[in-house]
Amino acid sequence: MNTDNANSSKSKKCIYDITKFTHLDYPDHLACIIWFSGCNMRCDFCYNKEIVFAKEGSYSMEDVLKFLRTRVSLLDAVVLSGGEASSYTLTDFCKAIKKLGFLIKLDTNGTNPLHVKELLGLDLLDYVALDYKAPQYKFTSVTHSGKFHEFSQTLDLLIRSGIDFEVRTTLHTDLLNVDDINCILSDLKERGYKNIYYIQEFVEAKSTVGGLQKPSKPFNKSLLRSNFPVIWR
């Protein structure tokens, strides 16, 4: 499989960090978060700057599996996040996680559709959170990536698959305005998306990839147009 930074070795230290407990990142489940190093995007608003630019991490996949064996019956699920987890070959890793009895959630920017398709086909994913970074006409300027087509393929794949998943957008009003969000909402409707759409308001951080600080522009929520639920986080 050809994926960005693909690596199937369980011994390589590709995992930046582990959040050992969370009740917020997987709906209705206690979980841990596995943060994969590196990302194929450079979103200006991203506050995981250290993870995005990391060339390696502190843990290998085998290290994570050893940790998970100590959490059987204590946690329900494992969240694969980053960075961009789907840039790595996850099939064997996910199979091992499943054998331990955990649910798996994937956080992804959607730029590796073939890998996501493989994981779905093997029933290795239980929930997916897909980041819709920006409309097509702003996608490259926001993400510094030319991968809208790949993202689009992943979105359509998830809609067809029937898996439980969510679409979410991080809103920094200096980058995205009401018209941009309405464009996303319209695109989701045309594709047949019927789940909740989450808007995550930018949280000011000490350091972001693009050096962004507190947004300077207002956002009028009353101007949003949607036929499915929109929830602000």
Side-chain angles (χ1 to χ4, degrees), residues 190-219:
E190 290 178 6
R191 293 173 189 259
Y193 181 76
K194 297 178 181 178
N195 300 337
I196 296 172
Y197 173 61
Y198 292 93
I199 300 177
Q200 304 174 156
E201 295 189 83
F202 173 79
V203 177
E204 192 172 1
K206 291 182 179 180
S207 178
T208 60
V209 169
L212 289 182
Q213 300 299 318
K214 185 177 179 180
S216 62
K217 298 177 182 179
F219 190 93

Side-chain angles (χ1 to χ4, degrees), residues 3-5 37-43 52 83-87 108-112 133 139 143-147 150:
T3 57
D4 297 338
N5 301 321
S37 299
C39 187
N40 55 3
M41 289 184 173
R42 296 293 183 265
C43 303
V52 166
E84 180 51 40
S86 75
S87 292
T108 181
N109 60 26
T111 54
N112 293 300
K133 303 288 188 177
F139 196 84
T143 67
H144 302 279
S145 159
K147 292 183 174 288
E150 289 85 346

Side-chain angles (χ1 to χ4, degrees), residues 30-73:
L30 300 179
C32 64
I33 307 174
I34 309 305
W35 301 95
F36 281 83
S37 299
C39 187
N40 55 3
M41 289 184 173
R42 296 293 183 265
C43 303
D44 290 328
F45 58 79
C46 180
Y47 56 83
N48 286 331
K49 184 176 179 180
E50 293 80 8
I51 298 177
V52 166
F53 291 106
K55 301 299 182 183
E56 59 180 17
S58 300
Y59 305 95
S60 67
M61 293 183 187
E62 187 55 48
D63 291 332
V64 172
L65 292 174
K66 289 178 182 178
F67 162 73
L68 291 176
R69 292 184 190 105
T70 71
R71 293 300 187 270
V72 173
S73 79

Side-chain angles (χ1 to χ4, degrees), residues 158-174:
L158 290 171
I159 291 173
R160 292 194 306 268
S161 72
I163 191 174
D164 195 10
F165 83 104
E166 67 181 56
V167 175
R168 60 194 188 184
T169 298
T170 297
L171 176 64
H172 191 297
T173 58
D174 292 349

